[in-house]
Amino acid sequence: MGVLFDNVGCLEKAIQCYDKFLIICKAVSDQHGEALAYNCLGVDYQLLAIGKNELYKQAIQYHEKHRDISDSHGKFIAHINLGLLFSSLKDNSNSNVNYQFALKYAVMLASPVVQILALGNMTDLHPEPHGKIQHIAEQY
C-alpha cells in the first residue's frame, strides 16, 4: 500500500503504511523487509523535508538505519540517498563522503552501472573532472 500512496503523491499515508510494515518485519525478524522499510521511510521523509528542514533529521536517521542493517546493495543505496540528502542541504562534505562510500560498495559489487551512478553523483559536486574521478570515469 505504501508504494501505491507514494505513486499518487500521498507521502504521509505512505509513511503510515511503511511504519506498519516495519513493525511487522521486526516482529518476524525479517531483516531484508526491515531494510526496505527504512529505505522507503528515509526517501519519503527526504521528499517531505523539502522546505521543512526539521524532517531532514528523520530522513537521515532512517537512511542510516537502512545502511546499518543492509547488505552491500542496500549500503550502496543508503549512501547514495544520504549523499543526495546532504547535497540538497548544501553540505558538500557529508555528501561527498557518502558518495565515496557508495562508490566503494559499487566497486565491491563489480557493477559498472552502479559505479557510474556513484561517479555521476560525485561529479555533480565536482563539475570539473579531475584526479581520481576522472581516472575512474575514463575506464568506462
Side-chain angles (χ1 to χ4, degrees):
M1 289 297 298
V3 174
L4 294 174
F5 283 123
D6 278 339
N7 289 342
V8 296
C10 297
L11 300 179
E12 291 91 353
K13 288 183 180 181
I15 286 171
Q16 292 172 357
C17 292
Y18 295 134
D19 279 333
K20 290 176 185 175
F21 178 61
L22 178 61
I23 291 167
I24 293 167
C25 291
K26 285 181 174 185
V28 298
S29 300
D30 179 356
Q31 189 172 351
H32 292 289
E34 191 177 338
L36 176 61
Y38 286 137
N39 176 61
C40 293
L41 287 162
V43 169
D44 280 358
Y45 274 108
Q46 188 170 339
L47 292 170
L48 282 175
I50 298 169
K52 303 173 191 169
N53 285 347
E54 68 277 359
L55 295 178
Y56 277 113
K57 288 181 182 180
Q58 284 181 282
I60 291 167
Q61 289 172 346
Y62 283 119
H63 287 312
E64 288 175 343
K65 286 179 180 182
H66 176 216
R67 176 199 64 204
D68 293 345
I69 68 165
S70 290
D71 60 9
S72 295
H73 290 92
K75 289 182 188 310
F76 168 79
I77 292 167
H79 281 294
I80 287 291
N81 285 337
L82 284 163
L84 292 168
L85 187 152
F86 286 118
S87 181
S88 70
L89 292 172
K90 308 293 186 226
D91 183 346
N92 289 349
S93 177
N94 278 319
S95 183
N96 192 44
V97 166
N98 279 284
Y99 289 148
Q100 287 177 16
F101 274 110
L103 180 59
K104 172 187 155 189
Y105 286 106
V107 169
M108 287 173 48
L109 294 167
S111 171
V113 173
V114 293
Q115 291 172 20
I116 290 169
L117 179 61
L119 286 169
N121 283 306
M122 290 174 79
T123 57
D124 285 346
L125 292 177
H126 309 284
E128 295 296 321
H130 54 77
K132 191 175 186 180
I133 295 173
Q134 182 177 354
H135 171 73
I136 296 170
E138 287 171 356
Q139 294 177 352
Y140 300 101

